[in-house]
Amino acid sequence: MCHPWSDSVATLHMLKRFVATSRADAGAVFAQAALVVVRGAVSPVEVNEVDLEDTWHGLDAASQATWCVENGQVPGQNEALRQANQELVTVSSPSWYASFIAKTVPKGLPLVGVPFAKSHSDSIWFFAGCHQPSDGQPLRGRREHTDDVPHDGTFHIQVSGTKHWFLRPTDELVQRQGSGLRADDKFAIVCGPGDLIAVNTRLWWHETALPAALQPSVSYARDFYLQEDARAQEADFVNQDGFYAAAAISAGTIIVREQDMPDCELPTSKGSRANAQVVELEDEDGNGSGMALVASRDIATGEWFVVYDSDAESDAADE
């Protein structure tokens, strides 16, 4: 599989440290470095009973409104869902990768929680796609990033087809005592039907890709919490495109001017998470002034933009 990491992915024996022999053992592995894989966590019979089209038609309007393109060109929703439920799709089908969020847990899912979690989110995130390129190259999802989330991790169940995960630890995770990770570690993990991967996407840089295959790739995911009272911080799943750095940005750089600002609400913080501030600058033509978002410190590739909130009395997320 061609990927920027193809020449430096971890060897098999290095990956074994993240593999648990069963769902019951997954918690101990996850505790080491916020990542665990369980092969065959769900039986083939159970995953074969997941019907994505039936799930979709059972959703309310708010859930269906979350349909989102992850990458590629997505056909009409009904056609995409029909393809995702077929064992084989026609060669003429376009390559596509999409997601949607069920605001409540649908019936019929074989696994809706992991035993080492104290609680789980209300929402379930579904991913589906198929990829039949002429050149055999994979279909990459959203580019490498981390997620600004309050939960302790997200578990994904692969229902059909395969999905490739590319992961590398953040500096915070490398510095965690007992993680055993290095700053230059990079891992490539392939998940097939019935496999479970649980990962803290705040602590791991991550990216996924769909390999060239006739069988569609379908999976679902759910957030989990390791503490009883952590659900109080829960925010709804969001699968719309975020606003994060596509490349490294130096402190003082103008990220975007007011007229070019995307239609999304940026998170704010009074603490160290803040990496940008809104300032008034002279217009480029010198005939006036306007607001702009400027980097308040160096920002790494894939880091989400968080605006400094000078009016905030406190920031619970930074405590």
Side-chain angles (χ1 to χ4, degrees), residues 92-160:
S92 61
S93 298
S95 292
W96 60 275
Y97 190 2
S99 67
F100 63 89
I101 299 168
K103 298 295 186 179
T104 57
V105 179
K107 296 180 180 179
L109 297 182
L111 181 67
V112 294
V114 286
F116 57 88
K118 296 295 186 181
S119 60
H120 295 79
S121 65
D122 294 328
S123 303
I124 297 281
W125 193 334
F126 289 86
F127 298 88
C130 64
H131 186 45
Q132 299 176 22
S134 58
D135 59 4
Q137 295 300 307
L139 178 63
R140 296 174 65 182
R142 300 174 191 232
R143 295 305 187 256
E144 185 190 59
H145 62 283
T146 58
D147 298 321
D148 185 12
V149 291
H151 53 255
D152 296 303
T154 306
F155 75 85
H156 296 249
I157 298 293
Q158 191 70 26
V159 174
S160 66

Side-chain angles (χ1 to χ4, degrees), residues 247-261:
I249 298 174
S250 300
T253 301
I254 298 175
I255 299 170
V256 63
R257 290 183 179 270
E258 184 176 13
Q259 63 270 24
D260 300 318
M261 182 71 71

Side-chain angles (χ1 to χ4, degrees), residues 60-303:
D60 58 20
S63 294
Q64 291 189 349
T66 65
W67 178 272
C68 178
V69 177
E70 294 291 322
N71 207 347
Q73 295 181 343
V74 176
Q77 290 173 359
N78 290 338
E79 173 63 12
L81 292 164
R82 184 188 66 78
Q83 290 179 8
N85 279 333
Q86 291 182 335
E87 290 189 5
L88 298 176
V89 294
T90 61
V91 176
S92 61
S93 298
S95 292
W96 60 275
Y97 190 2
S99 67
F100 63 89
I101 299 168
K103 298 295 186 179
T104 57
V105 179
K107 296 180 180 179
L109 297 182
L111 181 67
V112 294
V114 286
F116 57 88
K118 296 295 186 181
S119 60
H120 295 79
S121 65
D122 294 328
S123 303
I124 297 281
W125 193 334
F126 289 86
F127 298 88
C130 64
H131 186 45
Q132 299 176 22
S134 58
D135 59 4
Q137 295 300 307
L139 178 63
R140 296 174 65 182
R142 300 174 191 232
R143 295 305 187 256
E144 185 190 59
H145 62 283
T146 58
D147 298 321
D148 185 12
V149 291
H151 53 255
D152 296 303
T154 306
F155 75 85
H156 296 249
I157 298 293
Q158 191 70 26
V159 174
S160 66
T162 58
K163 180 181 289 188
H164 293 239
W165 286 79
F166 298 92
L167 303 129
R168 64 184 179 91
T170 59
D171 291 341
E172 178 183 349
L173 185 56
V174 170
Q175 294 165 11
R176 176 191 286 187
Q177 185 175 4
S179 75
L181 295 167
R182 302 176 306 181
D184 59 350
D185 280 339
K186 297 177 181 179
F187 301 98
I189 298 173
V190 179
C191 288
D195 289 346
L196 176 152
I197 180 172
V199 58
N200 184 324
T201 56
R202 183 181 64 82
L203 295 176
W204 284 92
W205 293 95
H206 58 284
E207 178 181 339
T208 62
L210 304 184
L214 289 176
Q215 187 176 34
S217 174
V218 177
S219 61
Y220 65 87
R222 193 179 190 188
D223 292 340
F224 60 84
Y225 301 82
L226 301 179
Q227 303 298 324
E228 290 284 2
D229 58 351
R231 279 290 301 275
Q233 304 178 49
E234 181 180 341
D236 287 339
F237 257 140
V238 176
N239 66 335
Q240 304 301 316
D241 286 335
F243 189 24
Y244 55 84
I249 298 174
S250 300
T253 301
I254 298 175
I255 299 170
V256 63
R257 290 183 179 270
E258 184 176 13
Q259 63 270 24
D260 300 318
M261 182 71 71
D263 185 18
C264 63
E265 184 175 350
L266 298 180
T268 60
S269 171
K270 192 178 177 65
S272 60
R273 288 175 55 238
N275 55 22
Q277 57 186 339
V278 177
V279 300
E280 186 173 3
L281 296 176
E282 184 178 279
D283 290 342
E284 293 176 292
D285 58 12
N287 293 326
S289 63
M291 307 308 291
L293 188 67
V294 176
S296 57
R297 60 171 173 80
D298 291 343
I299 302 174
T301 303
E303 186 177 349

